[in-house]
Amino acid sequence: MTEVAHSGPDPLALLPEIFLLAGAITALLTGSFLARQRQWITRVIAVVALVASAAAAAAALGAPEASVYEGSYTVDAATGGARLIVAVSALLVILLGRDELKGTDRESEHHVLVLLASLGAVVLAGTSDLLVLGVAFLLASVPLYALIGMNRTRGGAEAALKTYLLGALLGIALLLGVTITYGLAGTTDYAGLASGMATAPGAAVAVGLLGIIAGLMFKAGAVPGHFWVPDAAQGAGTASAAFATTVPKVGGFIAAYRLLDAVHGTVNWPLLIAVLAALTMTLGNLAAYTQDDPRRLLGWSTVSQAGYLLMPVAVAGSVPLALPALLVYLAGYAVSNLAAFAVTAAYPDRRTLAGFQGLGSARPWHAGALVVSLLSLVGTPPTAVFLGKLTVFTAAWDGGFWWLTVIAALNTTVSLFYYLRWIAPVFRAAGPDTPGAGDFSPRPWAARTAVGAAFLILVIGLAAGLAWAALAGAPHS
Amino acid sequence: MLSLIIVLPLAAAAVLAGLPRLKDSAARTVFAATAGVETALAVGLWAGYRDPGPGGLAYEERLRWIPNVGSSYHLGVDGLSLPLLVLTTVIFLACAVYDWKSRDRVRARSALFLFLETTCLGLFAAQDLILFFLFFDLSIVAMYFVIAGWGHGDRARSAMKFFLYTFLGSLALLVGFIGLYLGADPHTFDIPELAAANAFRGNPAGGFVLAAILLGLAVKTPTVPFHTWLPPAHTDAPATGSAVLAGILLKMGTYGFVRIAMPLLPDAWRAWSPAILTVGILSVLYGALVALAQSDLKRMIAYTSVNHMGYILIALGAAGAATGAGSTIRATAVTGAVTQMVSHGLITGALFLLAGVLQDRAKTYDMGAFGGLATPAPKFAGFFAVAAFASLGLPAFSGFIAEFQIFAGSIGAVPLTAIALPGIVITAALFLRALQRIFTGPVKGRAEGFTDLRPAEMLSAGSLLVLSAVVGVFPAPLLAAITPAADAIVSLVRR
């Protein structure tokens, strides 16, 4: 979208985004002409586009920071991280949804929408201009409504409606916020926001920022924009649910980080974000506690994870560790959440926690993948989210929010309750009253994705530190 | 060398986990052989150990891990960690021997115990806070599965309680570690660097950081009032699980005090020492009194652990107390504390293995269900009596050496700690009473038809008791390793 709106010096700077867009268009056109049983071709197109996008993003990592298209888009570590996380996540979504969608009449549409929503999330993360932010919000949201409602069940329809209403409301808030901020600052370019707003009345600045943040919290699945998340996780198709609880977050959090970093020192937004973080993690954890449907449990768990993800956003611009912490946590969270969803996708008929009784002895690898992903969501070393938790806790404390670190640590303990409620039955022998009675016949692709993602969790947990040092240059020996 | 010792059990566990068709006999051979090799390696480690001097480390290894937050894969051994490393390998070897006849999912159990061994060894060798935390958390995860998978009674609930309490403790620990990291300049998680920097000198924030670390370690140790997870976890864990839990995992807490809390936050430790002493004295007296009131043998042993860990806390608190004698007396207390860690591991490990025999034969730990057991099971009675006498601190056993030094040092530094002395008398009383109820008098209840100890049970529990006696009669080599390190700790705390 953006690359047509502006003429820029270096179109290749947006190569990862171009791959996503090209993939979406190709898949859309191809899908329209294909017979239903040959729609797998669109899956191949999507996979190729995502792999190409990830490869281009990886190749661009470590390059010097650049502002392209007249400052409306920034290519830096945050954008690079977003591109990579989004592409790999979308790839995992397509793999875990392969069995669910193969041969259905909505297969090609699903892939097109995944690619478009991924593009929206990346643009959301990379933009440094309020107008592009508005466009990216729509690009990331509209495909999402369709994805959630696509399998046409009652739950899916309700979830889609809820998502749509909340998205429309908070989208308007975002656009209103953009308008007010533009009016106050006289520019939509992030680089000029802080100086432009220096003389503006604080209350007006706060209203403008609040509107934008409210919109981004919808994407991030954080308070106050979180109501759609558990319904989408439970009601949508498994692949769509996995996508909706993972990829939009990447865009939402990095966009919030970038904007708040740019308006550093205007109003006291760090405290607001810190309070939102505390509310989000507490609410998500308490609500997840009583859930019996694994996917609804995961939905509320992603709300609580959004709370931890807000911690580095609260200290944006004041702590050097904030941005790496956000990226590390996002990467770890994305892989962990998708691994857990992949397990539910492998056993789609088991919709209660008790249904997983006996998985440990029947399918030890899948049980292992589930345990690794859930322990990662808890934040046990050496998993990916542990590294994320370590860095976001440190960043928040370093920025002065030590109380938030303590609340987050307490919340982590609470979260252990419900993750264990799922782990415990897995290693119990299946009883005669177990739904599905211990006969575990998995959907193969989803199961393989789960195991692969679980390995990725451990690899990120053990090696991400070294990769990070290689990219950023180590301050310590 | 250190990495090899740590990774070998993990590799063996991976092999066991990856071979689903392995026979039970092969799996238990792998477990026992690995545990044996580990013990040999650890003994070799000790044989080649030369005191590296204050603040120095033997067998040091350091690799880049998460350099951007100043965390590295940093291993090293000194007089504090070396005895615990050897203790760990010995306890696991005893467990491998003890479970030789077990038929309950041998492959998975062996893999789990080998994994657990890696976490324990890694923790005692770690010289980096994040690495320490990694092994600390993984040991909790592994022990959760041991209790939930092979326990008895209300095992799911006990395992959950264990996990939640100790995990909460570990998060408090993590918060404290982050505080240490942010306090140091340049920021680092490296333990020797932090000890050298002493970043919280004269900084009141050190008190809060120490509070978080103390909370985390106190839950793990456990001390009153954070001990409530321990009795159910012990009661419902399998015998070998209890032996590892009491023998090794509890030491992670007390080891954390001497490795992290004391040398890294000396000002705060001195300021907090009255509170630490109070908690230690309370743990000693409360643990002993509650143990006296138990009718369940395993719960009784569990509460004596609270009592025995209290002695360690008293010694370490006394070493930091502001008043009283010079550094030699304090070093005696710290040496006693570390000796007590080893001694308690050996003796309580043996006690829990022997208590497991009751569950195995009679499916109960209730002391009232037995009587005159010495008649049908004389060997069992003999072994248990030896273990009980060792545990109550009889001379010629390691417990005496440890407690004598603890009290000599503590009372020398803080005379008030003498009020904990009745703890020893109460422990003596409760063990004698337990012996009397179970083993003496006419044969009755579940004691009828009780089969005596099998060779594997005698070998495992017996070797732990022999080691305890060796330390008790000939403590010089152990003390020679510990004393320089204890001196170094005391000089770090008094700086």
Side-chain angles (χ1 to χ4, degrees):
Chain A
M1 293 278 167
T2 52
E3 49 268 38
V4 263
H6 300 266
S7 63
D10 183 12
L12 283 184
L14 294 189
L15 201 55
E17 288 82 353
I18 292 170
F19 276 126
L20 292 178
L21 182 64
I25 293 171
T26 318
L28 180 64
L29 294 177
T30 320
S32 318
F33 293 104
L34 284 173
R36 190 191 292 182
Q37 59 272 30
R38 303 194 61 188
Q39 292 204 343
W40 58 269
I41 293 173
T42 61
R43 183 172 65 243
V44 175
I45 292 171
V47 167
V48 168
L50 288 167
V51 169
S53 177
L61 283 179
E65 227 175 281
S67 185
V68 293
Y69 298 101
E70 290 159 11
S72 65
Y73 201 81
T74 305
V75 179
D76 58 2
T79 309
R83 287 163 165 176
L84 208 55
I85 298 168
V86 165
V88 172
S89 303
L91 200 59
L92 287 173
V93 166
I94 288 180
L95 292 178
L96 76 86
R98 190 261 188 193
D99 314 292
E100 182 189 10
L101 293 161
K102 185 172 177 285
T104 60
D105 52 356
R106 288 282 178 269
E107 192 180 0
S108 64
E109 287 88 337
H110 181 266
H111 298 137
V112 173
L113 291 171
V114 161
L115 287 174
L116 283 177
S118 300
L119 177 63
V122 173
V123 175
L124 204 52
T127 181
S128 45
D129 187 291
L130 290 174
L131 290 179
V132 183
L133 184 75
V135 174
F137 180 87
L138 292 177
L139 180 57
S141 300
V142 175
L144 200 64
Y145 309 141
L147 269 176
I148 292 172
M150 206 163 63
N151 73 344
R152 287 177 297 184
T153 57
R154 275 192 58 187
E158 193 193 325
L161 191 63
K162 212 167 184 173
T163 311
Y164 175 71
L165 286 176
L166 205 62
L169 179 68
L170 294 178
I172 290 167
L174 180 127
L175 293 177
L176 186 70
V178 167
T179 315
I180 293 174
T181 309
Y182 173 52
L184 293 172
T187 176
T188 57
D189 190 353
Y190 285 11
L193 283 184
S195 56
M197 291 192 302
T199 55
V205 173
V207 170
L209 274 182
L210 269 180
I212 302 178
I213 289 172
L216 292 177
M217 290 308 101
F218 164 73
K219 291 274 81 180
V223 171
H226 65 282
F227 292 105
W228 63 278
V229 178
D231 289 295
Q234 184 182 28
T238 313
S240 306
F243 184 86
T245 54
T246 311
V247 173
K249 274 192 173 33
V250 181
F253 281 112
I254 296 181
Y257 181 94
R258 206 183 280 287
L259 175 70
L260 292 173
D261 189 13
V263 297
H264 199 69
T266 49
V267 286
N268 189 12
W269 53 262
L271 184 63
L272 169 76
I273 301 288
V275 170
L276 281 185
L279 283 178
T280 305
M281 62 180 81
T282 310
L283 181 78
N285 277 329
L286 294 182
Y289 183 56
T290 51
Q291 302 303 331
D292 197 42
D293 180 330
R295 282 172 45 182
R296 198 170 174 82
L297 184 144
L298 278 179
W300 279 113
S301 122
T302 69
V303 174
S304 79
Q305 300 284 337
Y308 306 122
L309 280 160
L310 276 175
M311 294 171 70
V313 177
V315 294
S318 57
V319 180
L321 193 60
L323 181 62
L326 178 62
L327 292 176
V328 166
Y329 202 116
L330 273 173
Y333 162 74
V335 185
S336 307
N337 191 50
L338 289 174
F341 262 104
V343 175
T344 68
Y347 302 102
D349 299 332
R350 293 172 191 268
R351 299 301 292 260
T352 60
L353 296 181
F356 285 83
Q357 267 180 14
L359 181 68
S361 49
R363 301 277 171 186
W365 282 95
H366 304 166
L370 183 65
V371 169
V372 168
S373 64
L374 293 182
L375 285 181
S376 181
L377 290 173
V378 175
T380 310
T383 57
V385 173
F386 168 68
L387 195 58
K389 279 216 165 129
L390 174 67
T391 47
V392 301
F393 283 17
T394 308
W397 187 339
D398 204 10
F401 291 111
W402 61 269
W403 55 268
L404 185 58
T405 302
V406 172
I407 290 178
L410 288 174
N411 258 292
T412 303
T413 315
V414 176
S415 75
L416 198 61
F417 270 104
Y418 59 84
Y419 292 121
L420 275 185
R421 283 185 62 226
W422 194 359
I423 292 179
V426 168
F427 292 94
R428 215 167 283 151
D433 53 341
T434 304
D439 174 35
F440 287 93
S441 39
R443 291 183 160 180
W445 277 84
R448 273 174 228 152
T449 311
V451 175
F455 269 110
L456 202 51
I457 291 171
L458 294 176
V459 169
I460 293 178
L462 288 171
L466 287 172
W468 170 17
L471 285 174
H476 299 273
S477 58
Chain B
M1 180 76 174
L2 267 183
S3 287
L4 174 73
I5 291 185
I6 293 170
V7 172
L8 185 66
L10 185 66
V15 167
L16 287 178
L19 295 173
R21 288 180 218 297
L22 208 65
K23 283 210 185 75
D24 279 5
S25 57
R28 72 167 68 98
T29 312
V30 169
F31 180 21
T34 313
V37 171
E38 286 290 299
T39 312
L41 285 174
V43 170
L45 206 64
W46 195 326
Y49 174 78
R50 298 288 171 270
D51 181 41
L57 292 168
Y59 304 106
E60 200 170 359
E61 291 176 33
R62 197 166 183 187
L63 293 171
R64 288 158 62 88
W65 183 31
I66 321 175
N68 287 47
V69 291
S71 175
S72 59
Y73 175 80
H74 190 182
L75 302 176
V77 168
D78 63 7
L80 303 175
S81 43
L82 184 65
L84 291 168
L85 284 171
V86 178
L87 172 73
T88 304
T89 58
V90 169
I91 297 264
F92 275 93
L93 182 59
C95 290
V97 173
Y98 182 89
D99 270 341
W100 191 255
K101 289 287 173 198
S102 159
R103 309 201 175 285
D104 186 14
R105 288 162 290 160
V106 177
R107 189 177 62 89
R109 182 207 281 249
S110 303
L112 196 53
F113 269 86
L114 285 167
F115 175 72
L116 193 55
E117 182 166 14
T118 285
T119 65
C120 298
L121 293 168
L123 182 125
F124 293 129
Q127 295 293 338
D128 181 280
L129 292 176
I130 296 305
L131 198 60
F132 181 94
F133 185 78
L134 170 111
F135 291 120
F136 192 92
D137 252 20
L138 286 180
S139 76
I140 298 173
V141 173
M143 186 46 80
Y144 168 80
F145 284 115
V146 168
I147 300 175
W150 285 267
H152 33 69
D154 196 1
R155 62 189 185 185
R157 198 183 145 78
S158 297
M160 177 82 121
K161 196 171 181 183
F162 163 78
F163 202 139
L164 288 173
Y165 267 78
T166 48
F167 202 84
L168 175 65
S170 85
L171 285 165
L173 206 56
L174 183 64
V175 171
F177 287 176
I178 291 174
L180 281 173
Y181 166 80
L182 292 173
D185 188 29
H187 295 344
T188 181
F189 281 110
D190 195 70
I191 294 175
E193 279 177 26
L194 285 167
N198 191 15
F200 284 95
R201 170 178 290 274
N203 183 349
F208 294 101
V209 174
L210 183 67
I213 292 176
L214 282 183
L215 175 64
L217 296 174
V219 170
K220 186 85 178 183
T221 300
T223 65
V224 173
F226 308 106
H227 65 285
T228 48
W229 62 268
L230 182 76
H234 269 310
T235 313
D236 295 337
T240 44
S242 289
V244 170
L245 182 56
I248 313 292
L249 263 56
L250 300 192
K251 306 304 170 302
M252 293 180 173
T254 53
Y255 174 76
F257 288 124
V258 291
R259 170 63 62 205
I260 295 166
M262 295 175 77
L264 268 45
L265 293 158
D267 285 15
W269 184 270
R270 287 199 302 276
W272 277 78
S273 65
I276 295 163
L277 278 170
T278 310
V279 170
I281 293 169
L282 280 178
S283 295
V284 165
L285 296 175
Y286 180 86
L289 286 171
V290 179
L292 186 64
Q294 299 302 318
S295 61
D296 180 308
L297 181 67
K298 228 174 166 190
R299 284 181 81 89
M300 185 196 87
I301 304 173
Y303 275 110
T304 65
S305 291
V306 177
N307 160 277
H308 282 118
M309 295 294 107
Y311 294 133
I312 296 177
L313 222 55
I314 289 176
L316 300 181
T323 56
S327 56
T328 321
I329 295 281
R330 295 172 196 278
T332 307
V334 174
T335 308
V338 179
T339 315
Q340 173 78 332
M341 294 182 206
V342 177
S343 161
H344 179 260
L346 294 171
I347 299 170
T348 309
L351 274 173
F352 274 121
L353 290 181
L354 290 170
V357 173
L358 290 184
Q359 166 74 17
D360 183 58
R361 313 284 201 278
K363 304 290 173 230
T364 180
Y365 296 116
D366 185 14
M367 289 189 266
F370 300 93
L373 193 57
T375 312
K379 289 179 200 155
F380 181 54
F383 273 79
F384 197 89
V386 172
F389 280 114
S391 183
L392 59 82
L394 199 72
F397 285 105
S398 56
F400 174 75
I401 305 287
E403 281 160 32
F404 176 76
Q405 293 191 88
I406 286 173
F407 276 110
S410 305
I411 296 174
V414 187
L416 201 64
T417 51
I419 60 173
L421 278 171
I424 296 185
V425 183
I426 302 171
T427 329
L430 67 92
F431 271 114
L432 292 176
R433 204 185 55 142
L435 284 173
Q436 196 183 19
R437 283 177 74 178
I438 300 176
F439 294 105
T440 61
V443 179
K444 63 167 190 180
R446 306 280 179 97
E448 285 165 24
F450 198 94
T451 38
D452 208 351
L453 291 186
R454 284 191 280 266
E457 290 158 351
M458 280 194 283
L459 186 62
S460 55
S463 53
L464 295 180
L465 293 174
V466 167
L467 279 175
S468 169
V470 168
V471 172
V473 176
F474 190 48
L478 179 65
L479 298 183
I482 298 173
T483 308
D487 286 337
I489 289 290
V490 168
S491 65
L492 284 175
V493 171
R494 305 304 299 176
R495 67 185 154 168

